[in-house]
Amino acid sequence: MLFRSGIARRATLIKHIRQELDKRAVPTWLVDIGDYSDGTPFSIEYHGEADVAAMNAVGYDMGTLGNHEFNNTAAQVRKLIAMTKYELVCANVTDRTTSKPMVLPYVIRKVGGVRVGVFGLMTKEAATYPAGKETFDVTDEIPAARQTVATLRTQVDIIVLLSHAGEDMDQRIAVEVP
């Protein structure tokens, strides 16, 4: 996978792509759909903190969290969220201690004259990971998508989902959520 390569390579590629698209006045967003804090010795050793610092430095615009961020403790997940300088969205995770969304459910961005709503979803399976068991509730993806899309539909022209729900669920959402 291209994005498993080192951050320096990613930064160089991203800079090149942005420069090329800027020349043509094409807006770009650099997004992440999670699982950055697990899977490599570097990520595991630093519990995702070095990954967030690198993604901040590269200039990510927004993202969502993956189930593997929940391999950390709830305190570490909160720390990663606090460290993140780009916008995080996830419409189906709440903090059990406060009953509030873990992060923003969605953001609205304007691109030219077009209003774009971007929301995130995480796989319900994340509830079985350490941080999920400890503190975070993860609701079913389809009802969360329906509710968020209904809310956004009245405010935006286009809706984008940053999904970490899995390919099968993504296909179900595409079919079942208008």
Side-chain angles (χ1 to χ4, degrees):
M1 181 189 317
L2 174 65
F3 291 110
R4 286 305 242 179
S5 61
I7 193 70
R9 290 161 104 186
R10 274 190 272 172
T12 300
L13 179 61
I14 291 160
K15 181 179 177 183
H16 174 73
I17 291 170
R18 281 185 165 163
Q19 286 173 343
E20 289 300 311
L21 293 173
D22 283 348
K23 288 178 191 174
R24 295 184 280 161
V26 176
T28 59
W29 292 336
L30 177 59
V31 302
D32 185 78
I33 58 166
D35 278 2
Y36 58 80
S37 70
D38 195 21
T40 68
F42 184 76
S43 298
I44 294 167
E45 175 69 22
Y46 297 101
H47 307 285
E49 292 178 32
D51 300 274
V52 171
M55 292 161 71
N56 286 340
V58 170
Y60 277 70
D61 296 294
M62 65 184 90
T64 195
L65 297 170
N67 53 302
H68 287 287
E69 274 69 65
F70 277 31
N71 274 336
N72 292 296
T73 64
Q76 184 63 20
V77 172
R78 285 188 186 102
K79 184 175 183 180
L80 294 174
I81 291 167
M83 289 176 60
T84 302
K85 293 181 181 174
Y86 53 92
E87 292 176 300
L88 287 172
V89 292
C90 192
N92 67 327
V93 181
T94 56
D95 187 320
R96 197 174 304 126
T97 61
T98 64
S99 298
K100 293 183 180 181
M102 178 180 68
V103 294
L104 295 171
Y106 61 86
V107 294
I108 297 174
R109 295 267 184 101
K110 203 156 192 173
V111 180
V114 179
R115 297 166 299 160
V116 181
V118 181
F119 75 105
L121 291 174
M122 181 191 294
T123 178
K124 176 135 175 55
E125 294 171 2
T128 66
Y129 285 62
K133 289 179 185 177
E134 184 182 347
T135 302
F136 298 109
D137 289 325
V138 185
T139 60
D140 290 335
E141 300 92 338
I142 299 283
R146 280 191 182 119
Q147 179 181 354
T148 307
V149 167
T151 299
L152 285 170
R153 184 75 57 210
T154 62
Q155 303 175 59
V156 301
D157 305 303
I158 296 174
I159 299 173
V160 175
L161 167 59
L162 301 183
S163 176
H164 194 93
E167 185 177 351
D168 291 341
M169 181 56 70
D170 291 346
Q171 290 176 1
R172 280 190 59 206
I173 292 167
V175 170
E176 295 180 34
V177 179

